[in-house]
Amino acid sequence: MNYADIKYYDIANGPGVRVSLFVSGCTHRCRGCFNEIAWDFGYGKPFNDVIRGQIIAACDPYYISGLSILGGEPMEARNQEAILLLMREFRSKLRDKTVWCYSGYTYEELTDKDNRRCHCKATEELLSMIDVLVDGEFIEEEKDISLKFRGSSNQRIIDLNKTREAEEIVLWEDES
């Protein structure tokens, strides 16, 4: 997997100050995408053990609320294995931090075991380590700059911890 960018002090992609990893590669190709350059799986730099360690270290300070993973498309099947390695280390070292993931795939698509475009052997474990999933493709006709933490009104902000507990989709509620 390649990554397009890392923002070490991001306040736009989840609550608080976060570290945001922008992975490369996306097959959605949404019209009006803010990060079109990251559609190419070969764009950017290789994601490796050193970069993974830098992200973990950057998330450690008390003022960092957590990690946000965006793209490109982090939930493309070919990106999930590298992200899973990051998540395993993140969860073992930073249990009190949150993980937000932005995906053009819907929760229903990601949990559909027959959907080979985005469901692979890493998907279920990966989803189990994500606190909040912002799902759905960006739709330019539904763009709304007043929305918090999403670009178009069709996208949902799903509290995956509460969703797993309730066994039905529960939307995230901003507590601020």
Side-chain angles (χ1 to χ4, degrees), residues 28 73-75 101-106 110 133-137 155:
H28 297 293
E73 174 59 73
M75 297 307 286
C101 181
Y102 286 74
S103 178
Y105 293 107
T106 64
L110 290 167
L133 175 70
V134 181
D135 81 337
E137 291 187 14
Q155 296 171 313

Side-chain angles (χ1 to χ4, degrees), residues 3 23 30 33-34 38 52 54 62 69 81 83 86 92 103 113 117 122 137 143 146 153 157 163 171:
Y3 70 97
V23 305
C30 302
C33 174
F34 82 99
R52 188 171 63 239
Q54 289 173 353
Y62 74 91
I69 306 171
E81 196 64 41
I83 294 169
L86 170 64
S92 74
S103 178
K113 294 178 181 171
R117 190 166 166 222
E137 291 187 14
K143 179 179 180 177
S146 71
S153 60
I157 304 175
T163 293
L171 299 180

Side-chain angles (χ1 to χ4, degrees), residues 57-112:
C59 288
D60 189 46
Y62 74 91
Y63 54 85
I64 298 294
S65 299
L67 174 66
S68 293
I69 306 171
L70 307 90
E73 174 59 73
M75 297 307 286
E76 293 284 0
R78 64 193 275 191
N79 285 338
Q80 289 186 38
E81 196 64 41
I83 294 169
L84 180 58
L85 292 175
L86 170 64
M87 291 304 307
R88 285 175 179 161
E89 187 171 348
F90 182 92
R91 286 296 179 208
S92 74
K93 295 180 177 176
L94 301 166
R95 290 183 178 91
D96 61 328
K97 309 279 181 163
T98 62
V99 175
W100 280 51
C101 181
Y102 286 74
S103 178
Y105 293 107
T106 64
Y107 179 73
E108 291 82 0
E109 289 172 315
L110 290 167
T111 55
D112 177 0

Side-chain angles (χ1 to χ4, degrees), residues 139-155:
I139 298 176
E140 193 168 38
E141 295 76 23
E142 296 185 38
K143 179 179 180 177
D144 183 346
I145 61 170
S146 71
L147 296 172
K148 199 169 190 178
F149 306 131
R150 56 195 174 123
S152 58
S153 60
N154 65 296
Q155 296 171 313

Side-chain angles (χ1 to χ4, degrees), residues 20-76:
S20 291
L21 168 66
F22 294 80
V23 305
S24 294
C26 181
T27 59
H28 297 293
R29 303 188 182 287
C30 302
R31 191 166 46 86
C33 174
F34 82 99
N35 202 12
E36 187 174 321
I37 197 166
W39 289 355
D40 181 354
F41 285 90
Y43 178 76
K45 299 175 186 169
F47 188 80
N48 57 34
D49 294 344
V50 172
I51 299 302
R52 188 171 63 239
Q54 289 173 353
I55 290 171
I56 299 297
C59 288
D60 189 46
Y62 74 91
Y63 54 85
I64 298 294
S65 299
L67 174 66
S68 293
I69 306 171
L70 307 90
E73 174 59 73
M75 297 307 286
E76 293 284 0

